[in-house]
Amino acid sequence: MIIRGDEPEQIRLIKKLYKPGNYFMQGNEAVAYGAIFAGCRFYAGYPITPSSEIAETMARELPKLGGYYLQMEDEIGSIAAMVGASWTGLKVMTATAGPGFSLMQENLGYAVMTETPLVLVDVQRSGPSTGQATKGAQGDFFQARWGTHGDHPIIALSPTSGQDAFWEIIRAFNIAERLRTPVVMLFDGVLAHTRELVKIPDVEEVEITYRKLPQNEEEARLPFGDPHGDGVPPMPLFGHGYFTHVTGSTHKENGLRDVYTPEVHDRLVRRLHRKIEQNRHVYEKYEEYFTDDAEILVVSWGVTARPALGAVLKAREEGIKAGLFVPKTVHPFPGERMRALGKKVRAVLVPEMNLGQMILEVQRYVNDDVLLKGVNKIGGVPLTVNEILREIRGVA
């Protein structure tokens, strides 16, 4: 889990420290324990509400497993430290909130360009700026996608509960390792501070992925090549005897800088995009409820998906044919499935804790003859079942 040779010892330690069973914990704590089960052994962060419990849990638990916790001077230093630690072979994570996420954007782009696996948890809070520091929100949907500059791909996940967060952070690590890419998890201050039942499994029930390593010197000499045709190059680790050049500037397959040749830049950036697009089966995930006969489709994500499901259940009790579509991977958006569902319904409602962000993605895949309406609420208080139900009734 740290590197492959340490896995038996890590499993023994986890079995000793974390007994399977039902626990009552915050969503933030579930994120931290899920990361530990995924093999995260390096955390660099800076405390910021409402994500701080993740850092507190990692600071307490990582030393027990031979891992490392660093409290950095700011969020810029935090993500920079993660990049360096990842290149030594460690699985790495940080957690922050909106203002810290803003500070991390330049080095998030660096991680994309250098194909550095890492996991970044954004516990969304009400903004802009300092905003309502202790209140949850869903205002960072597009910041996750477009926050860093240039033509870049990104993968972002969004859990809907503490239990879901435990498993989704594991999935985030597996995707980051499998595709050699940073992965963002969009959490929020409401779920982060909600205490609820979380079932901790036996660690041997958890499927773990580790990055591809070079199988020979030739692969090691091309840390940004594509020897297997899947767009994902093996990663030669620092300290293992390889000469590896890593730069955020445009570079050739051997890692050496070349900022003058258009073909080099074109080949590199197109491969970065192709790596994500042609491996959708690795990361695309969504949930559907009552979509087979739905005439009104509710599309929601994260914390708002929970009252959305409650509203759909109540609507169906009243004879309204409502269904729910919940993207768990929000970037890249599951557009083809959204397009297929959009052809079957006469109205689509998009509830979210912002003034309308995911609805713009939905709009790209829904025909003009389908009524599309946002259900939006800001101010740090989640949408309720009755608020969403009222909108379903209005459309019906």
Side-chain angles (χ1 to χ4, degrees):
M1 289 180 181
I2 296 179
I3 57 175
R4 288 177 177 176
D6 294 328
E7 192 163 325
E9 176 62 12
Q10 288 294 308
I11 289 175
R12 187 191 68 79
L13 281 171
I14 290 175
K15 280 179 171 288
K16 178 182 177 182
L17 292 168
Y18 311 112
K19 304 298 183 186
N22 295 327
Y23 294 83
F24 190 60
M25 65 174 69
Q26 281 190 351
N28 276 343
E29 293 173 299
V31 169
Y33 287 115
I36 287 168
F37 273 58
C40 178
R41 296 297 177 267
F42 183 91
Y43 183 102
Y46 185 82
I48 182 172
T49 304
S51 74
S52 296
E53 293 84 2
I54 298 175
E56 291 167 6
T57 305
M58 298 300 271
R60 184 183 67 239
E61 301 299 326
L62 280 178
K64 301 175 185 177
L65 295 155
Y68 306 91
Y69 173 89
L70 285 182
Q71 181 167 316
M72 301 299 290
E73 71 276 12
D74 56 28
E75 290 84 356
I76 300 171
S78 298
I79 189 168
M82 287 168 61
V83 170
S86 183
W87 274 91
T88 71
L90 291 163
K91 292 185 178 182
V92 302
M93 183 179 81
T94 192
T96 188
F101 194 33
S102 298
L103 289 173
M104 291 183 177
Q105 290 300 331
E106 181 181 3
N107 276 333
L108 180 58
Y110 181 86
V112 171
M113 192 66 152
T114 58
E115 300 178 75
T116 304
L118 60 83
V119 174
L120 195 168
V121 182
D122 174 24
V123 185
Q124 299 167 93
R125 75 188 209 191
S126 191
S129 188
T130 307
Q132 297 171 289
T134 62
K135 302 294 186 181
Q138 291 182 294
D140 300 350
F141 181 86
F142 279 122
Q143 186 186 19
R145 177 62 190 93
W146 299 112
T148 195
H149 66 280
D151 289 309
H152 68 281
I154 204 76
I155 296 172
L157 316 182
S158 183
T160 56
S161 69
Q163 182 70 75
D164 197 28
F166 177 88
W167 288 107
E168 284 298 282
I169 199 70
I170 293 171
R171 190 166 77 94
F173 274 98
N174 286 344
I175 294 167
E177 296 286 322
R178 168 69 178 79
L179 299 181
R180 219 184 114 180
T181 189
V183 174
V184 175
M185 192 172 92
L186 289 173
F187 209 34
D188 67 84
V190 179
L191 291 176
H193 289 155
T194 297
R195 291 188 180 274
E196 56 186 335
L197 178 70
V198 175
K199 182 178 181 180
I200 300 297
D202 187 295
V203 65
E204 295 194 77
E205 298 172 15
V206 179
E207 184 178 338
I208 299 297
T209 301
Y210 193 75
R211 65 197 68 169
K212 276 192 294 190
L213 301 176
Q215 299 302 303
N216 50 57
E217 288 293 329
E218 183 179 352
E219 287 190 359
R221 285 197 296 270
L222 297 173
F224 302 96
D226 187 11
H228 303 294
D230 60 355
V232 185
M235 187 172 180
L237 304 178
F238 290 177
H240 287 248
Y242 301 118
F243 172 81
T244 305
H245 190 267
V246 180
T247 176
S249 294
T250 297
H251 46 271
K252 295 177 285 189
E253 286 78 359
N254 62 7
L256 296 180
R257 193 169 174 268
D258 182 347
V259 299
Y260 300 108
T261 309
E263 292 79 12
V264 170
H265 185 81
D266 183 276
R267 189 166 64 245
L268 169 61
V269 177
R270 286 185 189 275
R271 181 180 61 76
L272 294 178
H273 281 265
R274 188 177 73 252
K275 175 175 74 170
I276 303 304
E277 277 302 314
Q278 74 182 24
N279 285 294
R280 275 186 173 265
H281 64 282
V282 174
Y283 59 80
E284 188 167 85
K285 182 180 178 183
Y286 47 79
E287 293 177 353
E288 297 183 29
Y289 303 87
F290 311 110
T291 57
D292 288 345
D293 67 346
E295 297 176 359
I296 299 170
L297 182 67
V298 180
V299 183
S300 196
W301 61 291
V303 61
T304 310
R306 296 174 74 166
L309 178 56
V312 165
L313 290 168
K314 284 183 174 291
R316 294 188 74 87
E317 288 174 3
E318 297 176 10
I320 300 171
K321 291 184 177 179
L324 176 64
F325 181 58
V326 183
K328 306 303 285 291
T329 303
V330 294
H331 299 300
F333 192 74
E336 291 309 309
R337 185 56 186 158
M338 184 68 248
R339 193 191 311 278
L341 291 172
K343 291 177 180 178
K344 298 163 55 177
V345 300
R346 59 186 179 87
V348 176
L349 297 177
V350 186
E352 44 187 337
M353 287 179 68
N354 56 48
L355 293 181
Q357 295 194 23
M358 191 175 75
I359 192 173
L360 300 178
E361 281 285 359
V362 174
Q363 187 178 40
R364 296 170 59 200
Y365 301 100
V366 174
N367 294 338
D368 291 340
D369 60 348
V370 175
L371 173 65
L372 177 61
K373 184 179 182 182
V375 184
N376 307 106
K377 187 175 183 179
I378 57 175
V381 180
L383 282 155
T384 66
V385 169
N386 286 334
E387 286 170 334
I388 300 171
L389 178 60
R390 184 167 60 242
E391 296 295 331
I392 296 174
R393 287 172 178 156
V395 169

